[in-house]
Amino acid sequence: MSTDVRFGVIGLTRGLSFLRLCEVVGGARVTAIHDTDEVRGRAVAAEAQATYASTMDELLDTDIDAVVIASPVPYHCQHAIQALRAGKHVLSEVIACTSLDEAHALVDAARNSDAVYMLAENYRYLDEVELTQRMVADGRFGEVYYGEAEYLHDCRDLWYAEDGSLTWRADGRIGVYCTHSIGPLLYITDDRVASVSAAAVPGGQFDTEVSAPVMHLLHLHTDAGRVLRVRVDHTSPRPHQMAYYGLQGTAGSFESWRGNGDTSKVWLADAHERSGCYEAAQWHGLEEFARHYIPERLAAPPEAEVSDHGTSEYWMLPEFLDAVHGRRPAPIDVYRGLDYTLPGIFAAESLAAGGAAIDVDDPRRW
Ligand SMILES: NC(=O)c1ccc[n+]([C@@H]2O[C@H](COP(=O)([O-])OP(=O)(O)OC[C@H]3O[C@@H](n4cnc5c(N)ncnc54)[C@H](O)[C@@H]3O)[C@@H](O)[C@H]2O)c1
């Protein structure tokens, strides 16, 4: 008997890559599709030999076990709640929600459902993130007291629909798209954000209709006393780097590549020359450590690079399938998903208070 998990996919730009991912990973198949663009939805469904559903209710009535939510950000939370109430497992695109009210409703829905909720924070599964996480856990950086991350992606081309109206990416509803930055830092350090202080560059420079901030800068303090700095910018014209991370510990330092031939690099007290005022420590290639720490990642087949995000989704989907089969808890459950999302929501409160530090709720205590 097939134990394939049957998925309904919601939203077909990003959702298309999930169709390919199922083929590569196995154990999952797309049997239903919902997209508000009916022409597109029907065409993709026909090709995938899946059922087209014109509404969420229709989708949830089909014979599916789980949904992949790849609709625009403002719909993630309502789609997740609907699916959880219908007893369908949820793998939701980032960010989990856009307001505190939504976050509370999502926690309630997850608590009252037997179905699994997982935030599909794929950057947390990037090779570089997994490698540095294992090195930190192995003590190679000593005690990590500082981390930084940047999501720099000029998305202005996606601001306009065909009729010239503003899309969800430009109309201010997206909030702070911070999980690709905060998620990996919290995974690497096994920590939680306790407070956020935010600054923003106001919008309007590129199109007076688009008043959403050009970029957000978040200063975060964690439960364990770490300081994190995160820049989220999907407007500025400049070369992309959506997965920049940096760490500083008592015995090591790490920085992702910056471009122009640069590669990701580390300096470690236990492996490299001394760092001192008159002895300049040098950067060394991070990849030197991959063979030791992430051998299974180096052995991944070429087809594991199923999207623009390396092999991250190839490693993420099996963990969701394991949770659905009850083999282990979802690694980014509703609480962890909100640990990644809520600092961006509380950032709005900080901005309104002139950048004051605002405590970030721990949703486990709600
Ligand atoms: N994790 C990642 O690396 C990554 C990468 C790309 C996009 N995303 C996320 O995926 C989501 C979708 O992004 P996109 O670039 O595909 O957006 P998009 O606007 O290009 O496409 C959204 C699709 O959803 C459909 N849609 C719109 N409203 C809908 C609704 N209410 N119900 C059902 N379908 C609806 C649209 O017709 C369209 O086909 C966003 O949340 C985005 O942040 C994540």
Side-chain angles (χ1 to χ4, degrees), residues 10-15 34-37 40 56 69-73 75-76 78-79 93-95 120-123 158 167-169 174 177 180 309 313:
I10 307 163
L12 281 180
T13 310
R14 171 70 173 150
H34 167 54
D35 193 294
T36 44
D37 180 339
R40 190 169 190 211
M56 270 298 283
I69 300 176
S71 49
V73 164
Y75 302 105
H76 291 177
Q78 68 189 59
H79 286 160
E93 260 307 338
V94 302
I95 51 182
E121 181 30 77
N122 50 331
Y123 283 42
L158 305 178
T167 67
W168 59 273
R169 289 180 183 269
I174 186 171
Y177 191 73
H180 290 330
H309 315 99
E313 287 133 34

Side-chain angles (χ1 to χ4, degrees), residues 342-364:
L342 284 176
I345 290 172
F346 281 93
E349 215 179 296
S350 171
L351 283 174
I358 303 291
D359 287 349
V360 174
D361 283 7
D362 182 347
R364 296 157 192 83

Side-chain angles (χ1 to χ4, degrees), residues 147-266:
E148 58 188 14
E150 294 181 354
Y151 180 89
L152 309 173
H153 189 192
D154 177 0
C155 287
R156 290 171 301 151
D157 288 344
L158 305 178
W159 280 2
Y160 308 99
E162 271 173 25
D163 63 4
S165 61
L166 293 183
T167 67
W168 59 273
R169 289 180 183 269
D171 65 11
R173 289 183 296 160
I174 186 171
V176 187
Y177 191 73
C178 60
T179 66
H180 290 330
S181 311
I182 292 176
L185 288 179
L186 294 185
Y187 174 58
I188 290 167
T189 55
D190 190 22
D191 209 346
R192 196 194 71 87
V193 172
S195 70
V196 56
S197 163
V201 175
Q205 294 94 329
F206 298 95
D207 179 338
T208 50
E209 295 291 304
V210 181
S211 57
V214 166
M215 61 166 267
H216 287 93
L217 194 60
L218 310 182
H219 283 121
L220 310 158
H221 283 86
T222 71
D223 279 352
R226 296 186 174 91
V227 172
L228 309 177
R229 180 186 67 79
V230 166
R231 177 181 173 191
V232 181
D233 181 336
H234 28 89
T235 302
S236 300
R238 51 155 294 143
H240 296 169
Q241 170 42 313
M242 284 107 86
Y244 170 81
Y245 306 103
L247 296 172
Q248 183 62 56
T250 52
S253 192
F254 153 69
E255 287 184 6
S256 300
W257 59 271
R258 285 288 195 181
N260 200 22
D262 185 22
T263 58
S264 296
K265 51 221 176 277
V266 284

Side-chain angles (χ1 to χ4, degrees), residues 26-108:
R29 77 198 142 86
V30 174
T31 57
I33 278 167
H34 167 54
D35 193 294
T36 44
D37 180 339
E38 183 164 349
V39 174
R40 190 169 190 211
R42 285 194 186 283
V44 174
E47 196 168 332
Q49 297 182 308
T51 304
Y52 171 71
S54 60
T55 64
M56 270 298 283
D57 286 339
E58 242 179 82
L59 179 80
L60 297 172
D61 274 346
T62 65
D63 221 1
I64 53 171
D65 307 299
V67 295
V68 164
I69 300 176
S71 49
V73 164
Y75 302 105
H76 291 177
C77 188
Q78 68 189 59
H79 286 160
I81 291 171
Q82 270 182 278
L84 289 168
R85 285 187 182 149
K88 310 296 183 191
H89 307 292
V90 169
L91 184 60
S92 170
E93 260 307 338
V94 302
I95 51 182
C97 57
T98 58
S99 71
L100 201 51
D101 286 346
E102 277 196 344
H104 277 276
L106 183 62
V107 167
D108 285 347

